[in-house]
Every structure is written in structure tokens, then in C-alpha cells.
Amino acid sequence: MHLRLAVNIDHIATLREARKGREPEPLAAALIAEAAGALGITVHLRSDRRHIQDRDLRVLREAIGTKLNVEMAVTEEMSRIAREILPAQVTLVPERPQELTTEGGLDVVAHADAVKRFVDEMHGTGILVSIFLDADAEQVRHARLVGADAIEINTGGYAEASPRASGAELERVAEAARLGSQQDLEVLAGHGLNYVNVIAIAAIPEVVELNIGHSIVSRAALTGMDRAVRDMVALLRR
């Protein structure tokens, strides 16, 4: 398999937080996902703590055997937490209070100084930095300029496009991936990917990792986490 699957387990925590209880346990989902073939676990620590909590980061960091990737906004609070927890990687994302999910890529061009300071702080403690950005050449180049190690290309536009428009959106992702590779950035992709639309994204040779959450957790609700992850891994091995 030429690319890795990282499973986002945010919505396991969403179920738990619906009752403010103890189950389901995100760590348990992460361990099952790893056993089923996931090579990374992704979580988003939001400022409103609507799903993943600080405690989740600590137990995941101690217990999982693969890469812990924490999505976070570019804030002093998140920088402090990352430097305390020391995940393998952080992914910088924009964050709006009322959004249902991340609505677009981080504007690296507009926030270059703040992003560079954040990247430098992470590198000072050995944490790798990826930036979630839209498939835009200027954004990709600025990710390199601010010192990022990787980019995660937002596939939301492709995932939500009509059949007529999906080809053009797919090419935008592919072009950004090629440019990212040329800029010596590791290229990841994610957002809105499911068991049908993932195949074309997985075929882009420069993409080395996919971050997928909602679709896997949705299938897991019906078939179990082990089966849901194994089904996705099987698709990526095609």
C-alpha cells in the first residue's frame, strides 16, 4: 500500500459527550483502528471542547502505537497544550465557533507570521507540523515558506462536487499535491472522503496519507470499528 490511513476518532467522542458520560471511549476505538490496519490516529482539539477533551490527548499519547496527529487552531492555548502533550504531529486548521466541521483550509498567506511562530514553537519540541489548506498553489508555497513539514489538502470541494464538476475538483487536488511534493512537503489529504469517492484521491501518487473520520465512524456504528477500518484499508490497497 503506497499510502497510509489515519483514522479521525472525533465522533466517537461526540457520542460520549452527548451524554457527558464515560462511553464510548475514544482510546478503545483508536486501539481497534490500529489493530485493523490504521497507521495513525487523528483528533481535533477544538477550543469549545465539543468532542475531544484534553484528557483524551494524554491517554492517546501514552497508549497508541502509531502516530498521534492533533488538529488545532493557531492559538497560544493550543501551542501550550501541544508542547505539554508532545504528539508526533499537529495539523493547523482554521476554526469558527458555530461551524459543524472545519469549513475550509487555513489561509497561510493571510496569517503567515502567526503560523510561522507556531511552527517554530512546535519544531522547538520536535513536533512535526502539517497545515490543512485548500488546493491552491499560493497556499502550498506559503506552507513551505513558514516551515511546515507537510500539507493536508482539503478534499471537501471534490467530495461535495456534482458528478459534472468532480473531475475539475479532483484535478485541483492533484495539481496541489504535485506542487507540494516539488516543494519537499509530505502530502496528505482529507475531508469528506468516503468509501466511494476515496478511490480517485488514493490514486494520486504524491499523496502519502489520508485522514478519514466521519465516514469510518458512521460505518462503524453499523458494522463495528474493526470492520469499518479494514474495509477502508482494503480500498486503499487496490
Side-chain angles (χ1 to χ4, degrees), residues 65-76:
T66 60
K67 179 179 73 174
L68 175 61
N69 170 41
V70 182
E71 298 176 344
M72 55 178 50
V74 181
T75 66
E76 292 183 7

Side-chain angles (χ1 to χ4, degrees), residues 24-145:
E25 170 57 63
L27 174 60
L31 295 176
I32 293 170
E34 286 185 325
L39 296 178
I41 300 298
T42 295
V43 294
H44 184 175
L45 185 68
R46 294 184 60 97
S47 60
D48 61 12
R49 305 301 198 272
R50 68 173 64 166
H51 38 56
I52 294 296
Q53 307 297 310
D54 299 56
R55 166 264 183 195
D56 295 321
L57 299 189
R58 292 191 292 272
V59 297
L60 287 165
R61 174 68 175 79
E62 291 299 320
I64 69 170
T66 60
K67 179 179 73 174
L68 175 61
N69 170 41
V70 182
E71 298 176 344
M72 55 178 50
V74 181
T75 66
E76 292 183 7
E77 178 197 25
M78 291 301 157
S79 175
R80 174 183 57 77
I81 291 171
R83 286 179 283 123
E84 290 174 358
I85 299 297
L86 298 177
Q89 177 177 295
V90 300
T91 297
L92 305 183
V93 300
E95 192 172 296
R96 300 175 183 86
Q98 302 305 317
E99 64 187 3
L100 292 178
T101 185
T102 304
E103 295 176 348
L106 181 65
D107 190 341
V108 189
V109 177
H111 303 98
D113 290 343
V115 173
K116 188 177 189 313
R117 283 194 299 272
F118 199 104
V119 171
D120 290 343
E121 290 170 355
M122 295 303 101
H123 285 170
T125 54
I127 301 171
L128 298 176
V129 180
S130 177
I131 301 177
F132 181 73
L133 46 75
D134 294 329
D136 177 87
E138 190 174 12
Q139 297 294 339
V140 173
R141 293 190 184 97
H142 269 73
R144 174 76 281 175
L145 290 174

